[in-house]
Amino acid sequence: MRQAAVRAHTNIALIKYWGKRDEEYFLPMNSSLSLTLNELYTDTCVTFDETLEADLFYLNGKQQSEQETVKISRFLDLFRKEANLSVRARVESINHVPTAAGLASSASAFAALAGAANLATGLQLDDQTLSMFARQGSGSATRSIYGGFVEWNKGTSPTDSYAIPVDDADWDIGMVIVAVNRSAKKVSSRVGMKQTVETSPFYPSWVETAETDLQAIKEAIKERDFQTMGEIAEHSAMKMHGSMLGANPPIMYFEPNSIQAIQCVNRLREQGVLCYVTMDAGPNVKVLCRLSQAKQIKEELSKYFNEEQLLVTGPGEGIRELTKEEVTAYGWKRS
Ligand code: 2P0
């Protein structure tokens, strides 16, 4: 038996990834840039066990359906192929995402699974290669290998599309997450992006401007120019949603309470608090802010949202192996 356990944090894109040019290898239409978050992460233990006849997948202690397990098996096959292994595995994952946050994330899930599979197979892939493996589980997982601000370069082929760390975000940066609605999204990212690429007349402008936005936000991060960074991030998110609204049939993730949160942020900004909105493939609103001002922003938002709907987080680190004590604390059987 070979076993390893790894923690990966989720990330929120400031320059969004929206659209694939290759669905088999998860190659994106545009490069993207994200911030890894401290409070939201997944811990995953992978145990290769000769006595198993099939892969097993447990999430938060519950064995998952065949449909969910197949996704994990296919992903593990990438590692088995590379390591020339045929042994089946038990995968145990715990999502540390506050239940109300509604942010169950494939980014931290596949980054943690990639990290644990890498160690358990003994492959010793470097972070760059690991990022490319994670990509083939879920696009956003490409970026969760690293902490802080991370760029995912779209690359030119399956072997050069990976993430690189841009800045450790060790300055006054944070996010307030507004969990508008925790129920499952109506249109998955995968389906939503495909529909946008194929039918939205706005999509070519999305791709074109994403590249210029990326260069501009990297410059702003380098200069630690929070205002410019926030303005570019908010603009990128709204352009992505604009391209979705132009799809046929249209894709709309906004809900009335999303707009309420956005208007609250706008009012705070009018009062001189620098904070900016970003949204992904769902109604939840993420407010990019100075971590030192997050409490004040949360207080304003709490006029409209419950305590359980609001979460403050700072930047998170890249993947790391869990300690023996952490593995034991979960009650995972040690091999
Ligand atoms: C992002 N999103 O950059 C963008 C912005 C949602 C909106 O990556 O099909 O779960 O597994 O590659 O990564 C969510 O989509 O999609 C996502 P797949 P993924 O974070």
Side-chain angles (χ1 to χ4, degrees):
M1 277 207 282
R2 283 189 275 186
Q3 183 179 64
V6 164
R7 173 171 299 176
H9 293 258
T10 194
N11 70 79
I12 298 295
L14 304 184
I15 303 297
K16 304 292 184 188
Y17 143 57
W18 196 249
K20 294 181 182 68
R21 64 182 201 273
D22 183 318
E23 289 180 14
E24 189 185 348
Y25 288 101
F26 290 76
L27 297 179
M29 287 283 203
N30 63 282
S31 300
S32 54
L33 184 140
S34 59
L35 178 66
T36 302
L37 301 180
N38 189 46
E39 302 300 325
L40 306 165
Y41 56 92
T42 303
D43 286 344
T44 293
C45 183
V46 172
T47 310
F48 286 98
D49 184 342
E50 285 78 6
T51 65
L52 290 176
E53 283 174 15
D55 292 322
L56 298 173
F57 174 37
Y58 297 85
L59 179 59
N60 298 334
K62 262 177 60 185
Q63 186 169 358
Q64 299 297 293
S65 67
E66 200 179 323
Q67 201 187 346
E68 289 304 312
T69 309
V70 163
K71 289 185 208 162
I72 302 297
S73 283
R74 287 211 189 110
F75 188 70
L76 286 176
D77 284 344
L78 299 172
F79 289 83
R80 280 190 280 247
K81 191 172 166 217
E82 192 76 13
N84 209 7
L85 268 178
S86 58
V87 188
R88 302 290 107 185
R90 189 170 65 248
V91 174
E92 293 159 292
S93 277
I94 305 287
N95 254 341
H96 288 262
V97 178
T99 36
L103 285 164
S105 170
S106 57
S108 55
F110 281 101
L113 184 58
N118 181 39
L119 295 177
T121 51
L123 274 170
Q124 295 190 301
L125 304 173
D126 59 22
D127 282 353
Q128 189 173 303
T129 313
L130 212 46
S131 170
M132 282 192 282
F133 271 69
R135 189 193 76 220
Q136 293 171 74
S138 188
S140 49
T142 314
R143 301 181 304 238
S144 267
I145 299 297
Y146 299 104
F149 292 105
V150 180
E151 177 186 357
W152 172 15
N153 194 303
K154 66 179 180 159
T156 60
S157 74
T159 53
D160 69 356
S161 181
Y162 51 80
I164 44 166
V166 166
D167 181 289
D168 59 13
D170 193 15
W171 34 302
D172 193 7
I173 299 288
M175 259 188 199
V176 182
I177 293 171
V178 189
V180 166
N181 184 339
R182 41 193 282 211
S183 55
K185 51 184 106 163
K186 290 185 192 82
V187 181
S188 73
S189 306
R190 211 158 284 186
V191 169
M193 40 178 104
K194 191 167 157 61
Q195 202 165 304
T196 311
V197 173
E198 288 172 358
T199 66
S200 176
F202 305 146
Y203 191 71
S205 325
W206 159 258
V207 176
E208 203 180 302
T209 61
E211 293 304 326
T212 41
D213 286 347
L214 177 70
Q215 295 317 318
I217 206 165
K218 278 167 68 179
E219 195 54 39
I221 290 169
K222 204 165 105 192
E223 303 288 329
R224 300 196 170 188
D225 178 349
F226 181 80
Q227 182 171 350
T228 304
M229 179 182 80
E231 286 170 359
I232 296 168
E234 187 170 294
H235 191 207
S236 172
M238 293 304 148
K239 281 190 286 189
M240 177 185 74
H241 285 277
S243 76
M244 295 176 191
L245 289 170
N248 189 14
I251 301 160
M252 186 168 60
Y253 288 112
F254 291 81
E255 290 186 5
N257 287 339
S258 318
I259 306 286
Q260 188 155 47
I262 292 170
Q263 287 176 337
C264 182
V265 168
N266 288 345
R267 277 195 297 277
L268 277 161
R269 217 149 59 197
E270 278 161 20
Q271 292 160 22
V273 182
L274 288 184
C275 51
Y276 301 89
V277 162
T278 185
M279 280 176 69
D280 296 294
N284 299 329
V285 173
K286 295 101 183 185
V287 185
L288 180 64
C289 62
R290 296 289 199 185
L291 190 54
S292 59
Q293 291 183 316
K295 209 170 149 234
Q296 180 190 351
I297 293 163
K298 187 182 161 186
E299 259 163 39
E300 190 59 30
L301 284 161
S302 66
K303 291 179 185 163
Y304 312 94
F305 299 94
N306 305 326
E307 174 68 24
E308 315 84 68
Q309 290 179 288
L310 300 170
L311 174 79
V312 172
T313 178
E317 57 180 11
I319 56 167
R320 72 160 173 88
E321 187 173 10
L322 294 181
T323 62
K324 280 180 187 151
E325 289 73 24
E326 285 168 327
V327 171
T328 310
Y330 276 129
W332 291 330
K333 203 172 76 184
R334 296 273 307 284
S335 64

